[in-house]
Amino acid sequence: MTAPPRPQRRKLGSDARAAYVFLAPALIGFTVFVVYPLIRSAYFALTQYNGLSVPKFVGFDNFRRMFTTDPSFWPSVRATLLLVVLYVPLSLAIGLALAVFCNQRMRGVSLLRTLCYLPVVLPVVATITLWKFVFNPQVGLANQVLTWLHLPTSEWLSGSDSAMPSIVIVMLWSVGSTMIIFLAALQAVPTELYEAARLDGAGPRTVFFRITLPLISPIMVLQVVLQMVTALQAFNQPKILSPDGMGGPGFSTRVLMLSIYTNGFPSLGRVAQLGYASAQVWVLFLVIVVLIAATARFSSIWTYSDHVS
Amino acid sequence: MKTSPPTAPPPPDSAGAARPRGRAARAASWYTVALLISSVMILPILWMFTVALKGPSAVFEVPPKLLPHEFHFKNFIDGPKAIHFPRLLLNSLVITGLSVIGGVMTSMMAGYALARLRFPGRRILFYVFVGSMLLPPVVGIIPLFQLFKDIGWYDTWLPLIVPAWLGGNPLFIFLARQYFLSIPQSIDEAAKVDGAGHLRIFVSVMLPLTRPAWITMSILAFQMSWNDYLNPLIYLYSSQKWPLSVGMASFVSQFAGQTPDWNLYMATNLLYMLPPLAVFFVAQRYFIQGLSALGTVNQR
């Protein structure tokens, strides 16, 4: 070791080398598992491809077929949007309400938080299959409770009108994760603001709508986006809960993800339609992008920001 | 502009004497609602316990009894037998274990480089990783399926494990970077003066300091992998290679058209839930920490 102390420039070089070594796995992964599939799936969407033969370029035929002749496409768009419309507002409202409720100083509040969070901890497949039995029309807990309360019972998953709401109930049972995120946001609101408002004689409602809600609005936007993406990509619930595993009864719970799955990964002798499924992937992807962009744009109008000066 | 003028006395003052009673009423209503919420959360789980203990005929009694008349503890043996539970459990443990180790390690490495090393392109790379968090995984499923099939990984565990070892989850990279940024720069300068290389600094200085970060990430990664249903469903054909998630879902639909033995099923389902539950109760605060980090990401 007779080398003189290294000059500054060499040191930067060694830093950079180390950085690329440390980043190598993530960079390889990013290229192979993000960039490559993105390009490839755009290409697949324009081809007819069964996974075995060479993909045959067909231009926009897949999209034409989707929008005009496929009898299951529009029902699956409807099912997907119904899921979003039911799930997103409810999960936000219930999650926020629970967070506000669990943010009060009461004995046992931490136990309540744990209980609300419990369903999130359980494996998704375990909770979905549990609810499949809860919704059993004859011997399930759901109808049993309704009978005790002298309320009309329901067919739940086997009724074409009640199937999607039932799926939404199962998804809402895991609202604890939304609650925890809102709780963290609520606890970050400075208490001086509440004290000041109280001194000014503001009631709890005014405090909530004038102080709490504006201050947590960035988290609200994040949640809208997260829950929307969750709902648009819901797969496990419709797949496991539908009686036929294909989004039945009828097409009532055949969301786009399930449609993509049945076309792209067929079982029981049906031919794979990877090209057609990829086209559906791109439709779903564009819907996600448009909804996120719209949320972001819309949110700048009502999100509170403190850069007023 | 509907705020009351400052001269109007706030309502609580006018009812000064009634205050303790008001507080009691408030507490009473709080506990009523709390009880209601907890029963919605806990009732299905309690019911699962009772079904798991029922005999085969008691499950289909109409109206169902909340408590079984006799306890069939044998369900906890017969149920798991029906789906080769020990093997699926081992599969799940291996798949989850390997993907947690790989995912956390490579994300921590990437986070270290992005937060503490200067190199050309570091800003762009950070934005690229953060941006890819928004990319829905669905976009990749078909080409990836083809890719794994082409290189002969179909019906092996490799598609479920190798991606984790290659950077895994952009969210983890992001969390790791944020945590590394909070560590004072003087610490690695001191280590460098002592002659430590980057690997040495990362392993013996940074990893001990970032313990909460990688414990939180490990727990999230464990939960994700243990829960994963779509990927094993796509990639694994042979039922002896399935993880528990696919095995449990097939338990419910294995007799297409026929009703499954719900009592056996629920007993097995309870066993399937035990590992994540155990992790949760041991590491509760890390669970919450992981999610809260997400909740405060946008603030500031």
Side-chain angles (χ1 to χ4, degrees):
Chain A
M1 292 295 164
T2 49
R6 288 173 171 188
Q8 197 61 24
R9 250 177 56 226
R10 287 285 300 277
K11 208 171 147 231
L12 270 176
S14 93
D15 250 25
R17 239 191 347 259
Y20 294 128
V21 172
F22 273 86
L23 278 165
L27 282 175
I28 296 170
F30 184 76
T31 318
V32 179
F33 302 123
V34 178
V35 179
Y36 164 80
L38 198 66
I39 298 166
R40 193 88 177 133
S41 100
Y43 169 65
F44 278 169
L46 303 175
T47 64
Q48 201 178 55
Y49 183 36
N50 60 16
L52 302 167
S53 62
V54 182
K56 190 177 128 210
F57 189 82
V58 294
F60 287 94
D61 269 9
N62 286 325
F63 294 92
R64 207 166 298 135
R65 174 180 155 203
M66 205 185 305
F67 296 134
T68 54
T69 54
D70 181 352
S72 73
F73 177 71
W74 289 112
S76 72
V77 170
R78 185 186 167 273
T80 310
L81 292 180
L82 181 63
L83 180 60
V84 171
V85 166
L86 288 177
Y87 172 75
V88 176
L90 280 174
S91 73
L92 289 173
I94 298 174
L96 182 59
L98 277 181
V100 170
F101 190 75
C102 287
N103 197 26
Q104 295 181 42
R105 246 169 245 180
M106 284 288 178
R107 200 182 278 268
V109 73
S110 62
L111 175 68
L112 182 68
R113 282 181 202 163
T114 308
L115 284 180
C116 288
Y117 196 66
L118 199 59
V120 185
V121 178
L122 304 176
V124 183
V125 171
T127 59
I128 296 173
T129 45
L130 166 62
W131 276 90
K132 191 164 178 153
F133 191 43
V134 170
F135 283 143
N136 182 302
Q138 280 83 44
V139 295
L141 183 68
N143 273 352
Q144 192 56 32
V145 169
L146 290 179
T147 314
W148 283 334
L149 299 171
H150 299 282
L151 290 170
T153 57
S154 166
E155 304 176 78
W156 303 111
L157 297 163
S158 38
S160 50
D161 288 334
S162 55
M164 189 56 94
S166 310
I167 284 178
V168 170
I169 291 175
V170 177
M171 290 172 71
L172 285 174
W173 195 49
S174 306
V175 78
S177 54
T178 313
M179 179 200 84
I180 293 288
I181 294 177
F182 275 132
L183 200 57
L186 288 178
Q187 287 171 350
V189 177
T191 38
E192 307 94 76
L193 288 179
Y194 289 132
E195 278 155 21
R198 212 161 293 138
L199 284 177
D200 286 346
R205 197 172 304 164
T206 319
V207 170
F208 180 75
F209 284 105
R210 293 287 173 91
I211 296 176
T212 312
L213 214 48
L215 280 175
I216 65 167
S217 55
I219 296 300
M220 198 76 170
V221 175
L222 177 75
Q223 284 292 329
V224 172
V225 171
L226 281 178
Q227 301 305 330
M228 222 147 55
V229 174
T230 305
L232 286 167
Q233 291 192 89
F235 170 79
N236 299 344
Q237 291 86 355
K239 165 85 176 129
I240 298 173
L241 288 172
S242 57
D244 55 358
M246 309 239 296
F251 291 124
S252 59
T253 62
R254 170 84 75 94
V255 290
L256 273 171
M257 272 300 287
L258 209 46
S259 198
I260 290 164
Y261 173 80
T262 30
N263 288 323
F265 309 98
S267 51
L268 301 169
R270 275 176 306 108
V271 187
Q273 304 178 313
L274 292 174
Y276 186 58
S278 299
Q280 291 191 317
V281 164
W282 277 89
V283 169
L284 179 56
F285 182 42
L286 288 180
V287 171
I288 292 175
V289 170
V290 166
L291 284 180
I292 290 180
T295 311
R297 193 167 167 74
F298 178 65
S299 70
S300 62
I301 301 168
W302 56 269
T303 306
Y304 168 82
S305 99
D306 49 5
H307 310 293
V308 198
S309 65
Chain B
M1 303 303 116
K2 277 177 200 158
T3 36
S4 45
T7 43
D13 282 357
S14 58
R19 219 173 179 174
R21 221 171 59 204
R23 193 179 293 167
R26 208 176 78 90
S29 55
W30 192 89
Y31 283 108
T32 313
V33 179
L35 198 70
L36 211 73
I37 297 170
S38 9
S39 47
V40 171
M41 296 298 166
I42 205 89
L43 210 60
I45 298 173
L46 290 180
W47 191 59
M48 178 169 59
F49 272 92
T50 73
V51 174
L53 288 168
K54 280 181 182 176
S57 55
V59 173
F60 293 105
E61 253 175 353
V62 179
K65 295 243 170 28
L66 259 198
L67 284 173
H69 351 249
E70 36 179 39
F71 293 96
H72 290 248
F73 290 107
K74 230 175 138 263
N75 291 349
F76 286 93
I77 294 166
D78 295 344
K81 254 191 207 151
I83 58 157
H84 304 289
F85 188 84
R87 175 190 286 159
L88 300 194
L89 176 69
L90 189 69
N91 294 350
S92 273
L93 288 174
V94 173
I95 295 170
T96 301
L98 286 176
S99 41
V100 168
I101 295 171
V104 171
M105 206 176 69
T106 51
S107 307
M108 287 296 283
M109 282 163 55
Y112 174 74
L114 288 172
R116 309 198 70 92
L117 300 176
R118 317 203 131 268
F119 61 93
R122 122 178 150 141
R123 205 167 245 285
I124 297 165
L125 272 182
F126 173 66
Y127 286 125
V128 162
F129 282 130
V130 171
S132 72
M133 286 201 303
L134 289 174
L135 204 66
V138 58
V139 182
I141 57 173
I142 287 167
L144 280 180
F145 175 75
Q146 269 320 105
L147 174 72
F148 287 132
K149 222 174 142 185
D150 289 345
I151 56 177
W153 288 7
Y154 180 67
D155 206 26
T156 72
W157 290 341
L158 292 170
L160 307 175
I161 297 168
V162 172
W165 284 80
L166 292 172
N169 189 327
L171 174 69
F172 290 175
I173 297 180
F174 178 76
L175 289 179
R177 175 187 177 267
Q178 297 308 93
Y179 208 92
F180 276 120
L181 282 179
S182 70
I183 294 170
Q185 201 70 44
S186 54
I187 287 180
D188 31 346
E189 271 154 24
K192 262 182 214 164
V193 169
D194 289 347
H198 286 292
L199 188 66
R200 185 74 195 272
I201 295 176
F202 178 70
V203 174
S204 19
V205 181
M206 288 300 157
L207 287 188
L209 285 174
T210 51
R211 232 173 76 127
W214 53 259
I215 292 180
T216 304
M217 276 154 57
S218 309
I219 287 163
L220 290 176
F222 167 82
Q223 209 187 9
M224 281 178 204
S225 175
W226 196 265
N227 279 351
D228 191 11
Y229 172 63
L230 177 58
N231 287 309
L233 184 70
I234 292 174
Y235 292 119
L236 296 175
Y237 171 78
S238 332
S239 57
Q240 71 265 26
K241 291 176 188 165
W242 283 351
L244 277 168
S245 59
V246 182
M248 293 309 290
S250 84
F251 200 149
V252 181
S253 54
Q254 65 175 322
F255 321 93
Q258 243 176 296
T259 30
D261 299 320
W262 283 109
N263 54 336
L264 299 186
Y265 174 77
M266 289 304 169
T268 320
N269 209 22
L270 279 170
L271 297 178
Y272 171 44
M273 289 176 176
L274 279 183
L277 268 185
V279 172
F280 173 66
F281 282 111
V282 170
Q284 204 171 355
R285 88 193 155 95
Y286 294 105
F287 259 94
I288 309 288
Q289 223 169 37
L291 277 168
S292 307
L294 205 60
T296 43
V297 159
N298 264 25
Q299 292 183 334
R300 306 251 60 208

